[in-house]
Amino acid sequence: MDNMEWIARCSARLHAQWPRLAREQRDEVARDLLSERRWQHCEPEAAVVEWLRQGIPAPTGGEVS
């Protein structure tokens, strides 16, 4: 897959998460992710999911739902 396809697929997955975010901004985030070595070998959709997970802390046993 070439970079343009990776960016397009990543941007589409970002759109599913943030539908109100402008396409230009989603594409910019996708390009930023692609520029990081850790995401380059991932499928773009998986990269987005993992990247988003970084900002969501895992629940601990002491939290009340």
Side-chain angles (χ1 to χ4, degrees):
M1 153 179 14
D2 67 14
N3 288 352
M4 294 303 290
E5 181 182 354
W6 198 98
I7 290 167
R9 287 175 52 188
C10 184
S11 182
R13 179 61 185 92
L14 287 165
H15 179 66
Q17 182 66 30
W18 295 324
R20 294 185 179 177
L21 189 64
R23 181 181 186 131
E24 295 80 20
Q25 290 174 304
R26 292 190 323 262
D27 290 352
E28 182 178 347
V29 171
R31 283 190 296 274
D32 288 346
L33 287 177
L34 185 58
S35 73
E36 292 185 36
R37 176 170 243 161
R38 71 182 289 184
W39 308 120
Q40 291 173 357
H41 300 290
C42 296
E43 289 294 315
E45 297 83 1
V48 169
V49 170
E50 289 302 314
W51 178 73
L52 289 170
R53 235 181 240 153
Q54 292 180 26
I56 302 171
T60 61
E63 291 184 18
V64 176
S65 300

